[in-house]
Amino acid sequence: MNWKDITLGDFIQVNQINAAEYTYDIDREINLYALISKKEVKEIEQMPIVELRKELNKLSFMNKLPDKKIPARFIHSGKVWDVQMDMRKLTGGQVIDIMNFYTQAGTDILGNSHKFMSIVCVPRKSFWRKGKYNGEKFEEYSNMMLSLGMDKAYPIMLFFSKVGENLLPTIENYLKRMREEMKTAILNNGDGTKPSMNSADEDVNNGITS
């Protein structure tokens, strides 16, 4: 066993198992092994103790976290995905979806990390042609990310967890600037009329939230 055998969905459940209370540590190990090996807990508990310990030792690879090198792209579910690490190149749709992600995820960032991955990882149209972010595919791509191996997912998650503190202020400044640009465009609509500031504010709010 190694980190390639652990999916992002598995890792989310691993975190839940580690956070749970168990009377004995071996109970936690058995539940972790059942998750990763896809075996039933009862089946594992029936193993002779020597064989059981041998199997549980296969979890030792988890004592060392995966490589931190971030892939520029990766292949998953028959698609080539580009990792968008440059915050300046995010689209307006990505920015808004990231804001929604932090609002909805609350303190459970890890438990919802597959959703964040679907925002910053964009599938290509073909091997040679980059794709564009499509928010309508959010749920579909989020579910795809659950089966991504942790050898690929971990360094991406780690990177964005480190930049997360600076990410939200950057996004908020972006939205503020976008709002002012939209207001200016509305106030200079080119038809010879000047709508009121309140009217412009309403139009801007509708444009950003729609």
Side-chain angles (χ1 to χ4, degrees):
M1 289 183 179
N2 56 54
W3 283 109
K4 291 181 180 180
D5 302 317
I6 310 298
T7 67
L8 177 52
D10 291 334
F11 191 72
I12 292 172
Q13 293 184 67
V14 165
N15 185 61
Q16 293 170 348
I17 292 173
N18 284 331
E21 294 185 4
Y22 291 92
T23 304
Y24 304 106
D25 287 341
I26 194 171
D27 290 329
R28 189 187 315 279
E29 292 182 77
I30 288 175
N31 277 273
L32 285 171
Y33 183 75
L35 169 66
I36 296 169
S37 66
K38 311 304 180 187
K39 294 181 179 180
E40 295 292 332
V41 170
K42 288 184 178 180
E43 177 184 352
I44 299 170
E45 289 177 338
Q46 292 174 354
M47 291 181 179
I49 188 62
V50 175
E51 182 181 351
L52 175 60
R53 178 45 58 187
K54 182 179 178 180
E55 291 300 307
L56 294 181
N57 284 340
K58 293 179 180 179
L59 300 176
S60 60
F61 75 91
M62 299 182 74
N63 294 326
K64 183 180 179 181
L65 291 172
D67 188 357
K68 298 179 182 179
K69 185 177 179 180
I70 304 173
R73 66 189 61 85
F74 58 86
I75 297 175
H76 177 60
S77 293
K79 299 178 182 292
V80 179
W81 303 76
D82 287 306
V83 183
Q84 297 193 330
M85 294 178 289
D86 189 343
M87 300 294 99
R88 297 169 299 179
K89 295 183 179 180
L90 292 176
T91 66
Q94 285 172 298
V95 168
I96 292 171
D97 283 347
I98 288 175
M99 290 290 287
N100 288 334
F101 165 79
Y102 278 108
T103 300
Q104 295 171 10
T107 58
D108 190 16
I109 300 298
L110 178 57
N112 291 276
S113 54
H114 58 296
K115 297 179 180 179
F116 188 86
M117 291 281 290
S118 72
I119 300 174
V120 298
C121 299
V122 179
R124 293 194 167 199
K125 291 182 178 179
S126 66
F127 187 83
W128 302 108
R129 294 177 60 198
K130 287 189 174 183
K132 294 182 179 180
Y133 179 70
N134 183 356
E136 294 181 357
K137 295 281 189 177
F138 176 77
E139 291 296 335
E140 178 184 345
Y141 291 163
S142 293
N143 291 330
M144 284 186 181
M145 288 299 156
L146 286 171
S147 59
L148 180 65
M150 280 303 293
D151 58 315
K152 298 183 179 73
Y154 175 76
I156 300 172
M157 293 166 56
L158 181 64
F159 172 79
F160 283 103
S161 69
K162 288 183 176 180
V163 302
E165 293 182 0
N166 298 320
L167 184 59
L168 285 180
T170 299
I171 289 175
E172 288 171 355
N173 288 335
Y174 172 89
L175 290 176
K176 182 179 180 180
R177 188 172 68 252
M178 184 172 68
R179 175 187 172 86
E180 293 304 318
E181 290 175 355
M182 291 176 66
K183 183 186 293 186
T184 299
I186 292 170
L187 288 173
N188 297 280
N189 52 28
D191 62 1
T193 61
K194 293 285 186 178
S196 68
M197 289 298 293
N198 289 337
S199 174
D201 284 337
E202 291 175 1
D203 289 342
V204 167
N205 289 331
N206 290 335
I208 291 179
T209 58
S210 61

